[in-house]
Amino acid sequence: MAQTGNPVPLLPATGLSDGSYCSVASVIKFRVDQAGLETVDTEALQRHIRHLLDAGIAGFVLPGPSASGIGESSHRFRDEIIGAVASVTAKYNLLPDRSFKIPIIVPCGPCGDGVSGLDETILQSRWAMLYGATHCLVHPPAHLAKTQVACYFYEVTSRAGIPVVLCDNQQFSPGTPGLSSDTIVDIVDQCRSNFAGMILVGHDAGKIGRVVRGVRAKTRRGRVWIATSGSTDRTVSGLVLGANAVVSEMANLVPRTYVRIRNLWVSGDHDEATRVQSDLALAETWLERNLGEREGIMGAMPLFHGDEELTESSEVGQVLSLERKLQKGGGVLLY
């Protein structure tokens, strides 16, 4: 259980640390039990979670702000997944060098399964807490007017069982441009007691910069946790603009490489961080071009951790080579 990500202490009252986070929905496997019922392959999931933690991943987003996943599955699957992840992180939380509780961020309400009712969102957050989630990820319902969004989040943060993370992602509200930077600042300003931070998915640099400056200059809050998510080639740009954390699905494949990008940037080696990001972005593009959306990250897992592993000099091979160099103690067969 060696920790290699150099985690930092908790931010006050948020329970969210700076660092590299992983969206794990795309690697969740299912199997059929002896009774013929489909169930989550918890052994494979827990093995994968341990691998990510040993690589330095700071926390998890279930299912993740940029992918469909357990939020669209039954509540039974959702509870199984949360419980499986929480049982692993609970053991890591007891390690002597652990200075913070590993965050498990779970979608509740419209960010997860399209439910727009306030009461249902609150109920989901409380159930998630019972199964081990530390934070709930909430996207504003698409039907609300801009003037109503801050009030909605005020109600959610006042009644949710766990701290709330705002998710601003256009894919959950088709046909709309997402929240404006001013609206996000208003939400942070009004929702103080139980508001943990936000994940900004796929936004351009201008909006991220406006949000970061606005939240930290115009609100009465102290330091607010802000994470960016999206394609790999946006990782460094989020850090440049002041994001505390980054969220990625590619971290499932090469967690040490992904953690290294942020660590290099924080340590001041900006040129090397940019170079590693470029290599990883090329590998991501290759996977998208050759596997497509249907296969996704799950389809790529055998390339990195199974019999179909790529060793030739290619975009993927270069990143795989770096991951091996960073990994200590030999390879880990995940699936």
Side-chain angles (χ1 to χ4, degrees):
M1 294 186 182
Q3 300 296 306
T4 60
N6 300 320
V8 299
L10 281 176
L11 302 183
T14 68
L16 293 169
S17 66
D18 294 1
S20 302
Y21 286 63
C22 184
S23 165
V24 300
S26 55
V27 298
I28 292 172
K29 297 180 65 177
F30 295 88
R31 59 182 176 82
V32 178
D33 62 18
Q34 294 181 346
L37 298 175
E38 189 177 39
T39 184
V40 177
D41 189 340
T42 55
E43 292 183 3
L45 177 58
Q46 290 176 330
R47 190 162 61 244
H48 184 53
I49 294 298
R50 288 192 292 270
H51 173 64
L52 295 175
L53 288 172
D54 290 343
I57 293 298
F60 303 98
V61 181
L62 309 176
S66 59
S68 60
I70 63 170
E72 297 175 356
S73 302
S74 71
H75 288 292
R76 176 172 63 84
F77 290 155
R78 177 191 180 96
D79 297 342
E80 287 180 9
I81 294 167
I82 298 172
V85 175
S87 67
V88 174
T89 59
K91 297 177 181 178
Y92 278 74
N93 290 335
L94 298 176
L95 293 176
D97 60 346
R98 174 62 58 180
S99 58
F100 64 92
K101 187 176 182 180
I102 299 167
I104 302 174
I105 307 171
V106 176
C108 297
C111 187
D113 55 16
V115 175
S116 58
L118 175 62
D119 291 340
E120 179 67 16
T121 300
I122 302 304
L123 181 61
Q124 288 185 23
S125 74
R126 294 177 179 177
W127 273 109
M129 176 184 66
L130 290 176
Y131 281 91
T134 61
H135 297 78
C136 60
L137 184 68
V138 179
H139 190 278
H143 71 278
L144 290 182
K146 293 182 179 179
T147 55
Q148 298 175 304
V149 173
C151 294
Y152 175 85
F153 272 91
Y154 179 81
E155 288 295 322
V156 172
T157 55
S158 298
R159 297 166 52 192
I162 46 182
V164 175
V165 176
L166 163 69
C167 177
D168 188 30
N169 184 348
Q170 185 175 344
Q171 80 176 67
F172 291 111
S173 51
T176 69
L179 299 177
S180 69
S181 55
D182 290 339
T183 300
I184 294 175
V185 172
D186 288 342
I187 292 172
V188 176
D189 195 26
Q190 294 185 34
C191 307
R192 305 178 200 175
S193 60
N194 204 28
F195 184 85
M198 67 194 72
I199 298 177
L200 305 177
V201 185
H203 290 307
D204 58 67
K207 184 171 182 179
I208 295 173
R210 290 192 300 272
V211 170
V212 172
R213 289 194 303 271
V215 165
R216 293 172 181 168
K218 297 180 182 180
T219 71
R220 294 184 292 274
R221 290 285 304 274
R223 192 163 180 245
V224 176
W225 187 83
I226 299 175
T228 58
S229 178
S231 58
T232 299
D233 57 8
R234 295 173 182 255
T235 303
V236 168
S237 63
L239 298 172
V240 170
L241 294 165
N244 304 101
V246 289
V247 182
S248 171
E249 286 187 287
M250 279 294 289
N252 287 290
L253 298 176
V254 281
R256 287 173 174 80
T257 302
Y258 194 74
V259 168
R260 181 170 171 78
I261 294 174
R262 182 184 176 278
N263 287 350
L264 286 168
W265 183 266
V266 172
S267 67
D269 195 345
H270 298 168
D271 290 341
E272 182 65 9
T274 303
R275 188 194 66 78
V276 176
Q277 175 193 258
S278 177
D279 289 345
L280 189 55
L282 287 174
E284 183 178 50
T285 301
W286 186 94
L287 293 173
E288 291 175 353
R289 184 172 61 245
N290 288 273
L291 297 178
E293 294 183 2
R294 185 180 64 84
E295 294 291 341
I297 299 297
M298 176 64 85
M301 292 297 282
L303 302 180
F304 287 81
H305 305 289
D307 294 336
E308 300 177 44
E309 199 170 83
L310 291 183
T311 56
E312 68 269 22
S313 179
S314 65
E315 295 93 335
V316 175
Q318 292 176 22
V319 174
L320 181 57
S321 176
L322 175 59
E323 183 75 8
R324 285 171 171 168
K325 290 179 181 179
L326 296 173
Q327 184 172 348
K328 297 180 179 179
V332 178
L333 200 60
L334 302 183
Y335 289 93

